[in-house]
Amino acid sequence: MSNRPFKVLGIQQIAIGGPSKARLKSLWVDCFGLAVTGNYVSERENVDEDIAVLGAGVAKCEVDLMQPLDPSRKPAVHEPPLNHVGLWIDDLPRAVEWLSAQGVRFAPGGIRKGAAGFDITFIHPKANDASPIGGEGVLIELVQAPPEVIRAFAALAG
């Protein structure tokens, strides 16, 4: 797969779900020392999420600590516990167009604003006949990197 018109710059986030954010926070915030910088609640996405961060600058990574608003509803943000991995992308629309042409299956919803305010979309964890490439069991969030992140990664690459 040559001529890829975009770059994956780095990890933007990991999202971890559990029945209770309090239990997740006891490890990630109390023991590891991550700072909670925000909260996101969505009925449609069935999620109550605390956004914790580690690192700084281009090395900053979100660790989203999620619990379902209603454990009996879908999506079940706590199953599997490693809900998704987010990747910084330098040109999200071109990435979606190119990846779709390669047979990558995207989750419904298209490109939209995510909890942190960046444009996002998700690669479906499972392939199907129409789109034979999926996340092989892992939900993958593609996140449009802002200009300062793109410049910082370019500087690191030399």
Side-chain angles (χ1 to χ4, degrees), residues 33-80:
L34 276 66
V36 173
T37 60
N39 179 263
Y40 175 75
V41 177
S42 170
E43 284 285 334
R44 184 179 67 81
E45 297 174 26
N46 191 33
V47 68
D48 177 2
E49 158 183 332
D50 285 342
I51 301 168
V53 296
L54 60 95
V58 72
K60 182 173 83 173
C61 183
E62 288 182 9
V63 178
D64 296 342
L65 307 174
M66 306 184 315
Q67 70 183 26
L69 293 171
D70 180 348
S72 66
R73 281 189 34 228
K74 298 287 183 193
V77 298
H78 60 303
E79 296 173 358

